[in-house]
Amino acid sequence: STQCDLEQEDVITSVNGHELGNMNTEKMFQKFDKILQDAREANQEFVTFEVHKGVKESAKPKGGDSTNFLKNALPLPPKEKIRMVLWDMDNTLLGKHTRGVWFGKIDEEICSLVTTTFVSLVPPLLEKGFQVGVVTFSDAEVAKVYKEMEHKEGKGGPDLVIPIVSGALTMRYEKEGMDVKEAAKKAKNLVDQMYIVGALPDYRNSTEAHEKEKMPMSKYWHIEQVKDMHVKRTKEPRIKNDEILFFDDSPPNIKAARKSGVHAFWVNPRDAFTENDWRQVAIVCVRMVEGVIW
């Protein structure tokens, strides 16, 4: 077994004196695997990590600074341990905060702010059979209230997430040389497989629907909704909380999710979701599963 007393934002730079920096993710994992294998063969009970406390801003590229897929494929978690990956939207998968309801155009400008790491992970995750989703406080019901009370046209919840993510994926496929219609069709197919839940607790708790049973001020309700949707869609066994990876920029949401057993990871809102965030999960949560390292 392996035990690491690390914080989510820490970065491992070397193991047993072997440097892990300045290399792409694939090579880093190959080297990490070799180091641990050598340690097991030498009957070492412990390995030594050199850690930089906290991810420096300079070490993390801006999440929405590219319209291309990452050049190197990112490692995926073991299917026998993880079945679902969920993201928050604002300042997490999207390098911007929409304030819950977006009154502007959903165009290339905002779609380009969906992080490169997110759009690089969604296709392979879905292809390998992982469940993927977005849980957000952005709320379509709040958008309706704005329209009724202030005559302002805006989008929230799935009405906002779907076109933004679809647009981002379409742009990436176009960058790869795919025809516009084909790119849009491929992007739609991916988004159709995702689970998207959007609800603002403050607003929902003021309605009759939640008069008796209040919605928690966290993503707990949202995650439960996604799990229900998955069972209804696939007829598969209900996903357990410890089979979920969850990324969010809100510390209270992370704390609540972890308390419920979800593997939750904080994303720096200044950068949104980057390759470094995914790498932290892969390194900090080292798991031995029949010789496979995650």
Side-chain angles (χ1 to χ4, degrees):
S1 63
T2 304
Q3 180 177 345
C4 304
D5 294 326
L6 298 172
E7 299 296 333
Q8 163 61 20
E9 61 270 20
D10 295 342
V11 177
I12 297 175
T13 57
S14 71
V15 180
N16 276 5
H18 298 276
E19 294 293 329
L20 293 179
N22 298 321
M23 62 179 65
N24 64 45
T25 306
E26 183 179 1
K27 288 184 178 180
M28 182 187 69
F29 271 85
Q30 290 175 351
K31 188 167 186 177
F32 191 63
D33 190 359
K34 180 66 166 55
I35 293 169
L36 291 185
Q37 183 62 39
D38 290 345
R40 287 194 294 268
E41 291 177 357
N43 294 318
Q44 292 183 13
E45 294 184 10
F46 303 97
V47 292
T48 303
F49 295 88
E50 181 178 336
V51 180
H52 282 177
K53 300 299 290 182
V55 180
K56 300 291 186 182
E57 185 173 3
S58 60
K60 295 184 72 176
K62 293 294 182 180
D65 65 353
S66 174
T67 57
N68 298 311
F69 283 109
L70 293 173
K71 294 181 179 180
N72 300 302
L74 293 173
L76 302 182
K79 284 291 297 295
E80 60 268 39
K81 288 292 184 179
I82 299 298
R83 297 172 61 194
M84 176 176 282
V85 185
L86 301 175
W87 283 269
D88 171 44
M89 178 178 68
D90 291 320
N91 286 342
T92 302
L93 74 86
L94 183 69
K96 181 182 183 67
H97 204 299
T98 64
R99 304 304 170 192
V101 177
W102 182 249
F103 297 103
K105 294 181 179 180
I106 301 179
D107 52 17
E108 287 191 8
E109 182 177 354
I110 188 169
C111 290
S112 68
L113 297 180
V114 174
T115 75
T116 301
T117 307
F118 175 78
V119 296
S120 297
L121 279 168
V122 168
L125 283 170
L126 290 172
E127 181 182 342
K128 295 297 182 180
F130 291 93
Q131 307 303 313
V132 174
V134 178
V135 288
T136 174
F137 284 163
S138 177
D139 198 330
E141 294 299 315
V142 175
K144 290 181 181 178
V145 172
Y146 272 106
K147 183 177 181 179
E148 294 171 358
M149 303 296 291
E150 300 184 22
H151 306 291
K152 297 174 64 176
E153 291 281 351
K155 292 185 181 296
D159 295 341
L160 179 59
V161 175
I162 290 173
I164 287 179
V165 174
S166 294
L169 288 166
T170 299
M171 289 169 62
R172 268 57 171 194
Y173 286 127
E174 285 185 67
K175 284 283 185 178
E176 289 188 332
M178 192 175 293
D179 174 78
V180 178
K181 289 185 178 180
E182 185 180 355
K185 182 179 180 181
K186 189 170 184 177
K188 182 180 183 303
N189 178 59
L190 292 174
V191 175
D192 285 347
Q193 297 177 60
M194 296 173 64
Y195 299 91
I196 301 171
V197 174
L200 181 63
D202 280 335
Y203 171 70
R204 296 299 181 100
N205 288 337
S206 69
T207 65
E208 291 184 6
H210 290 273
E211 186 175 355
K212 294 183 178 180
E213 187 175 351
K214 298 298 183 180
M215 183 182 297
M217 296 298 294
S218 68
K219 296 292 175 67
Y220 176 83
W221 181 88
H222 302 66
I223 293 172
E224 290 302 307
Q225 292 296 305
V226 169
K227 290 159 62 178
D228 290 343
M229 292 164 67
H230 170 255
V231 171
K232 186 175 181 179
R233 180 187 293 182
T234 66
K235 311 303 180 186
E236 293 178 358
R238 186 175 176 81
I239 291 176
K240 300 175 183 177
N241 282 3
D242 64 1
E243 296 175 319
I244 299 173
L245 295 179
F246 170 52
F247 298 90
D248 198 302
D249 68 301
S250 165
N253 289 342
I254 295 301
K255 183 178 180 180
R258 287 176 178 172
K259 188 175 181 179
S260 72
V262 171
H263 301 290
F265 298 88
W266 179 74
V267 172
N268 191 327
R270 294 177 302 176
D271 304 316
F273 181 69
T274 69
E275 182 178 356
N276 245 2
D277 292 307
W278 188 253
R279 184 181 298 167
Q280 291 307 297
V281 179
I283 296 179
V284 176
C285 294
V286 176
R287 298 186 181 278
M288 299 292 193
V289 185
E290 298 179 351
V292 177
I293 296 175
W294 159 241

